[in-house]
Amino acid sequence: SSYQDKVKDPKGYEDPIPWPPLEGYIEKYQKPEDVDSITRAQQELNETKIILHKTIESVLERGEKIDNLVQKSDGLSASSKMFYQQAKKQNSCCVVM
């Protein structure tokens, strides 16, 4: 049943008040963001804020992973230098012609 079927006359009569645009207006204003530009802009801002938060979190996680890789790279570099120096000492006793 439509909204008009449920509306009673102010005096209590069962006959609905005929006003055809009423159902259109009720349906139209069920979603305020479709009609009100400020509400729509606020909703878009909220969605953008959520996306930005997720992006920032991703960037921070990547930054942490990059820091870990740099630390591991530094460790490997130091280990390779030590290996080179020890190998040089070990091979210094032998003369290659």
Side-chain angles (χ1 to χ4, degrees), residues 3 5-6 19 24 26 28 32 41 57 59-61 68-69 74-76 79 81 85 88 93-94:
Y3 180 78
D5 293 339
K6 296 177 184 178
W19 193 41
I26 290 173
K28 180 179 178 181
E57 287 175 10
V59 167
L60 290 174
E61 286 176 11
N68 289 339
L69 286 174
D74 289 343
L76 285 172
S79 295
K81 286 180 185 177
Q85 290 171 350
K88 191 174 176 182
C93 67
C94 307

Side-chain angles (χ1 to χ4, degrees), residues 66-82:
I66 289 173
D67 288 344
N68 289 339
L69 286 174
V70 167
Q71 288 175 354
K72 289 178 183 179
S73 174
D74 289 343
L76 285 172
S77 180
S79 295
S80 68
K81 286 180 185 177
M82 282 183 16

Side-chain angles (χ1 to χ4, degrees), residues 6-67:
K6 296 177 184 178
V7 173
K8 292 185 179 180
D9 186 270
K11 295 179 183 176
Y13 297 114
E14 293 291 326
D15 294 333
I17 300 170
W19 193 41
L22 182 62
E23 279 192 50
Y25 286 126
I26 290 173
E27 188 175 318
K28 180 179 178 181
Y29 287 98
Q30 288 299 312
K31 294 182 181 178
E33 63 273 4
D34 292 344
V35 183
D36 184 20
S37 61
I38 293 174
T39 304
R40 184 180 13 202
Q42 183 64 43
Q43 183 180 11
E44 290 174 5
L45 282 172
N46 290 340
E47 290 171 1
T48 304
K49 186 169 65 169
I50 290 168
I51 292 169
L52 283 174
H53 281 284
K54 288 180 181 179
T55 304
I56 289 170
E57 287 175 10
S58 296
V59 167
L60 290 174
E61 286 176 11
R62 275 189 232 135
E64 289 175 5
K65 289 177 183 177
I66 289 173
D67 288 344

